[in-house]
Amino acid sequence: MTLRIGIIGCGYKGSDHIDRVANRINGATLAGVADIKQELAEKYAQKYNCKHFETGEELIESPDIDAIMVVTRPHDTHVPFVLKALEKGKYVFSEKPLSTSADDCKRVVEAETKIGKRLVQVGFMRRYDNGYRQIKKAIDEGTYGKPLLLHMTHRNETTVSDYYDNDAIVETAIHECDIMHWLVGSDYDKVSCFIPGAQTKYTHEGLHDPQVMTFDTKNGIHADLEVFVNNHNSYDINCEVVCEEGTIALTSPIFTQVKTQERAQTSIPQNDSFRFRQAFDSEIQDWVNGVLADHLNPTAPTTWDGLMACVAADALEKSRDNGFVKEPVVLPERPDLYKN
Amino acid sequence: MTLRIGIIGCGYKGSDHIDRVANRINGATLAGVADIKQELAEKYAQKYNCKHFETGEELIESPDIDAIMVVTRPHDTHVPFVLKALEKGKYVFSEKPLSTSADDCKRVVEAETKIGKRLVQVGFMRRYDNGYRQIKKAIDEGTYGKPLLLHMTHRNETTVSDYYDNDAIVETAIHECDIMHWLVGSDYDKVSCFIPGAQTKYTHEGLHDPQVMTFDTKNGIHADLEVFVNNHNSYDINCEVVCEEGTIALTSPIFTQVKTQERAQTSIPQNDSFRFRQAFDSEIQDWVNGVLADHLNPTAPTTWDGLMACVAADALEKSRDNGFVKEPVVLPERPDLYKN
Amino acid sequence: MTLRIGIIGCGYKGSDHIDRVANRINGATLAGVADIKQELAEKYAQKYNCKHFETGEELIESPDIDAIMVVTRPHDTHVPFVLKALEKGKYVFSEKPLSTSADDCKRVVEAETKIGKRLVQVGFMRRYDNGYRQIKKAIDEGTYGKPLLLHMTHRNETTVSDYYDNDAIVETAIHECDIMHWLVGSDYDKVSCFIPGAQTKYTHEGLHDPQVMTFDTKNGIHADLEVFVNNHNSYDINCEVVCEEGTIALTSPIFTQVKTQERAQTSIPQNDSFRFRQAFDSEIQDWVNGVLADHLNPTAPTTWDGLMACVAADALEKSRDNGFVKEPVVLPERPDLYKN
Amino acid sequence: MTLRIGIIGCGYKGSDHIDRVANRINGATLAGVADIKQELAEKYAQKYNCKHFETGEELIESPDIDAIMVVTRPHDTHVPFVLKALEKGKYVFSEKPLSTSADDCKRVVEAETKIGKRLVQVGFMRRYDNGYRQIKKAIDEGTYGKPLLLHMTHRNETTVSDYYDNDAIVETAIHECDIMHWLVGSDYDKVSCFIPGAQTKYTHEGLHDPQVMTFDTKNGIHADLEVFVNNHNSYDINCEVVCEEGTIALTSPIFTQVKTQERAQTSIPQNDSFRFRQAFDSEIQDWVNGVLADHLNPTAPTTWDGLMACVAADALEKSRDNGFVKEPVVLPERPDLYKN
C-alpha cells in the first residue's frame, strides 16, 4: 500500500515537504495540496500531478487523502487543522510549534486523549538529526558520565521584517525547548530569558537580538542558549553537552575543505532546510512508516511534546517581560497516553 | 507508477541495496530477489514480502520485474546478467566493476550499442557523493583555477582472506580509476602501480599492501593514489585536488565532536556503506528516476565508463607486473551512444 | 646590561618561571631564589648556579637582585612582598591574583601611586597569548562588527584537595575576570555566580563543581563562563566572541593530527604551563624588556588590573552566597597613573 | 658567560635571525653583523648597537665574536665562510642548504673531520618543530606500528623571479631531503623528480611548477612530495606518515577560528618565518646551548646531514633531467665523527 499524503501550506517549509514527499520518501505519494493562496497550491498540484484542494478542510475530508501534513503559517493556524484531522480519525503531522499558545496545545491533548490513540506527530525534526541522536545515545549510555551542563546557540543569518520578540521564542527557541529536555530526559524546573544591552545593528523595531536564555531541569542540569537571528553570518546551530568525563558537541554537515587565500575553510549552512535535510527526511519517513503500520513510533514527538515546549516558551516570555528572573515551568498532569 | 525492482545478489552489498530499495527509495518497490544461495534469497523475500526467484535469469525474464540490479559476487558474474537484461530490453543497474576484464565490458558496449539506447547504469556511486560533487563543481567552474594535481587515498580497515593483488586494483582502485578522469574531464594517458618495500604485517600471502598508483591524463594532470586495504585504522577515503589558486579536499561525514581524555576527536567511517550512504541512496534514486522516465540521466555512469575503468585497471596490473613503469592506457573508439 | 632576577616561590608555577628565566628569556639571568621551604630553594640555587636567600625579604633587599618575581602560595602572600619591593624602588612581577582580597590590592595601588611610577606587573599572562591577542585585535578593529556576547569555559582536569569554592573564583575565574573586560574594553556593571544542581561526582567537600558565572559590562556586553575544575578530561580553555557579523574563538595549540581506531584526533593540553607556554614566555620577556628600559609596557597588566579582577571576584562570591542574583561591581576612582 | 654571536648576511632570513638573537635567545648577545651590502649591515649594527664588520672574514676573525651564523645568499657562499670559521676553531651555524653542491659539502666534512670535533650545525630547523618532533617520537616508539608511506607537500605562495628549476630542489625540497630520512631513520636508496604536463599559469620562464618527487629509503619506505612554489594560496607544509595502525600528520599553527560569511575558517601561514618561528627559536637556542657547553647537541643537524641532503638533491636533478626515472642516491663512507 502507498500512503496518500495531503499537505496544507505550500510556503517555504511547505514546499520543502512537498518536494520531500514527492521525491524522497518511500511508501508514500503526494496526493493533494492546499494553500490559502490558491495559485500557489495550483502551481504545486500541476508540478507534481496531484489534487488541488481549495481549503485545508476539504483536503482533510477527502477520501483520496489518507494522512495530512499541516505546514501553514502563522503557526497558530496549525491546531484547527489538527483537530479537524482528529475528528476524521486521520493521522496528522503538524510542523513545529504545534501552536503558539499552551492552551491551544491542551485542546489537542484533550481531543487525542479522548480518542485514546496517538494520531498526531509534531515536527521537532532535530530528534531525527544524526548529531543529536549521537549525543542522546552518549548521554543515555553514560559514555562520558552523567550530563551536567549544555551550551547551545541558535543562530540565523537574517529574519523577515514581521519577526518579533515572541518569535525568537515560539518560532526559534522552541526547538531548544524541545530538544534540551529530550536529550537529558528530565522536565524543566525553571527557565529565563535575558536581553543584553549590546544589540546588533541589523535588528529591527520590535525585535531584541541577540537574546540569552537558560533552562534548568528538575534533575539539576543547566543549559544556556544564545538566540541570535540576524547574525549576518550563517545558520549556526550548536549544542555542547558537558558530562563528568568529557563533552560531546554537534558538528555541521560539511563535504569538503578548501584552502585558499591563506585560509583553510569549510562551509556553514545557510538555512535549516540544508542543515537538517537528513533530519527532515528521517522524520517524515518515520511518520510515514508509523502511519502505514497504524502505530506511530513511540519515540516520535507527540502532542504532549508540543505542549511541553509551549509551556516552556510561555515561561521564557514571562521571564523576558518580568526582569529576566527565572520563571517556574508548570506542566499539567501527563495523561497515560503520553507515557512511553 | 511504481517501479518493480528485482535484485540479483543478496550478500554484503546486495543486502544493503535491498534495504535501500525497500525502505528509502521513492517511486520503486522491491519486487523480487535471487541469489545463488537459495536460503539467503528466501530470507529476504520473506522479510520484505517479495518474490523469490531460483535464478537470476528467471528474475530477469519475469513479467513482474521491471528493472534489475546486479549485485553478484565475484564481479565477473555481472556481465552475463547484464547481457541477459539487455536481451529482454530491460533497464539494468550493475554494481562496480562492470567486469574484471575490459573484454567483457566491450561485449556489453556492443550489445547496448546495437540496441542504440542506454539501458545500463554502472555503480560508480562516488559520482553521487556530495563531496566529490562539490569538488567537480569547483573544477568545472574554475573556482580555484585549473586543476594540476590530485592526491588520493583508498584505505580499508581489513580485507577478506581471498583478496589478492588484483583485487587491490579491480575491486578497490577501480573507484579512483573512474572518479579521477571524471573529476578532471580528461582520458588517461598513462598509469603506474608501485609496490613499496615496506609492507604492513597485517597483510596476507598473495596481497601486497600498501600499493602506490599514479594516473596521468591526456591534459597533463597527475594523480597519486595510496591503496592500503589492511590499515587497521578506518575506511579513510581522501581526495585533494590542487588547483592554481587553492586546493579542495573531501571530508568524511561526521555528526559530533567529542573531547575526552585530553583529546578532541571525531569518528572516521568503518566501511563504505556508512561513508557513502548518501551517495548510494542518490545513485539508486537517480537510476529509478531515469528508468521511470525511460531515459537514464545523461551524467549517470555508463557501460563506457565501466569499460574505461577496466582498461585503466588492466594497465595498472601490467605496470605492477612489469617493473612499475608507466603504462599507456589505450581505449577503443568511443561509440556515439556514449558521447554526451 | 643583563637583568638580575630574583624569584620568590619555587613551587609548581615558581619552578616553571625559574626554568623560563634561566633558559628562555633574553636579556636576563636568574640571580637568586627563595622559598619558605629552604631545601626547595637550595635545590634550584644549585641547579642553576644562583644565590639562595633564606627569606623573600632578603632577596628583595639584596644589591645582587635588580628585579623580583613573586610566585608564592597561598596567593594572599603576594602583597607583602610586592609592597616590600616598592619600598626598595625595585620592579616587581606578581603572579595572579595580585591578592585574594580587593582591600589588599588597594594598598598596592596606594603605594605605587605615591611613587608615581608603575613598578608592578601582574601575571595575567593570557593577554600575551597569540589567540586572545588575535581576538582583541579583531574586536578593536571591528573586523566582524562590534562584540555582543562572549562564551567562555575554564576547565581543569583536577584540583588539589584543599581547593574550595572561593578558589573557583579567586584562583581560576580570576583569569576571565581580567580577560573579559580587557577584550571588550569596558568595565563591569554586574556579575553573577550560579551553582547548578547537577554536580560532578569527582568533586570534594567544600567545592561545588561546575559553577556558571556571568559578566555584564557597562556597555552592555554579556559573557557566560563555565568553571569546571575536575572535568576528568583536559585543560580546556575556550573563548568565543560573538560579533555582529561573525564569531572569533580561541583554539588550543596542536602540532599533529592522528587517525587511528576509526578516529581522527588532536590533543588537548593537560595544564596551563603547556597551554600558555607562549603566553608565559612573552609575558616575562615583555616585563624584562620593560624593566631594562626602565619603563614597563603601558599595555602590560597593572596593579589596577589586579584590583579590578579582585573587585569582580568579590562580587561573584557575593552572588554565589546570596541566591545567585546579579551583583553590581563597584570600583573606586581610577588614579591617573593607571590611565593609558 | 654570554655568547657573543656574529651574523654574516642581513637579508630576509638574516634579519630574522638578527631579531631572534637580539631579542629572544637566552645566553647570547648579538655582537656583530656583516653583509656584502654595507649599508644593510650598518643599519642593523646601529639598530642593535653592535659592531659592523666590512667582510664576513673580518667578523669571523674578530676576537669579539665567539660564534658565527652564516646566512648569506646565494647558498653557495656558505661553505667558504664555514671553512674559515673552522680554520679559526670557532663554532659556526650555516643556514640550509650547507651548499648547492655535494662536493662543496665534502670539503667541510673533510675539514671538520680533520679537527675531529663537530663545530658546524646546519639550519635544518624543521627537526626542531614541535609537529615533526611528535611525528618522529611516534615513529621511534612505534605508537602506530612501523611507518610505511609518507605524503608531503611543500607549497609556497610565490617565488622571486630568479628562482629556477634547480631552486625547487636545492632551495625548497632540500628541507624534505633532510626531514624524510631523519624521520624514518634510514638512508635513501632512490629518488625521482617528475614534471607533470599541467603547470600553473603563475610560474615563469625557467621554472616548472608544480613538480612531484619521490623518495625510497633503504628499508623500503616510500615518500611522495609535491613541490608547488607559486600556489597563490599559502605557505602550506604538510607531512603525513602512514603507519601500520594509524597515520600522524603535521598541522599548521593556528590561534583562533573564525565563523563568518557562511564559513568556518582558520588561517594558513604566509611564510616560513611565521610557520616555523618556534622551530627557528628552538634551533638557535639549542645551538647556543651547545656552543656554551662546548659540545653541540648530538642530535643537531651536522655537516654530514648537509651533505646527505645535497647528494639526494643531486640525484633528484639527475632524475628530472633524465626522463624522470628513479636515480640511486650514493653516499660516501660515513666518518666516525658523524656516527651518534
Side-chain angles (χ1 to χ4, degrees), chain A residues 159 243 303 336:
Chain A
T159 53
C243 301
T303 303
D336 287 343

Side-chain angles (χ1 to χ4, degrees), chain B residues 42-107:
Chain B
E42 188 65 44
K43 186 183 96 177
Y44 285 106
Q46 284 195 348
K47 180 171 177 189
Y48 291 104
N49 195 27
C50 72
K51 281 207 172 179
H52 163 217
F53 293 90
E54 293 214 359
T55 65
E57 287 77 7
E58 287 177 42
L59 180 150
I60 294 169
E61 289 180 346
S62 167
D64 298 332
I65 300 295
D66 300 319
I68 297 103
M69 293 177 68
V70 179
V71 204
T72 49
R73 295 293 296 259
H75 298 313
D76 53 16
T77 58
H78 296 167
V79 164
F81 291 122
V82 170
L83 290 174
K84 181 79 182 173
L86 289 182
E87 206 182 296
K88 300 293 295 181
K90 291 188 177 181
Y91 282 98
V92 59
F93 173 91
S94 167
E95 254 308 334
K96 49 75 15 190
L98 177 53
S99 173
T100 56
S101 100
D103 284 342
D104 262 14
C105 295
K106 285 177 192 166
R107 292 169 56 209

Side-chain angles (χ1 to χ4, degrees), chain A residues 32 62 92 109 169 184 189 214 295:
Chain A
S62 168
V92 58
V109 166
I169 293 174
V184 302
D189 180 28
T214 67
H295 185 72

Side-chain angles (χ1 to χ4, degrees), chain D residues 223-295:
Chain D
D224 48 61
L225 167 63
E226 169 199 330
V227 173
F228 187 11
V229 293
N230 289 289
N231 80 342
H232 268 236
N233 174 351
S234 57
Y235 180 71
D236 190 20
I237 305 301
N238 296 285
C239 177
E240 181 189 35
V241 182
V242 182
C243 300
E244 283 173 313
E245 294 153 1
T247 70
I248 178 165
L250 281 187
T251 54
S252 270
I254 58 165
F255 308 120
T256 53
Q257 187 199 47
V258 166
K259 291 179 177 182
T260 192
Q261 296 178 307
E262 298 174 3
R263 278 199 306 258
Q265 65 192 44
T266 54
S267 60
I268 315 178
Q270 192 173 21
N271 57 46
D272 65 333
S273 296
F274 176 83
R275 168 62 183 87
F276 287 111
R277 179 177 159 139
Q278 169 270 319
F280 281 118
D281 285 0
S282 299
E283 169 194 58
I284 301 304
Q285 188 68 62
D286 188 49
W287 177 65
V288 165
N289 293 351
V291 175
L292 285 170
D294 195 17
H295 185 72

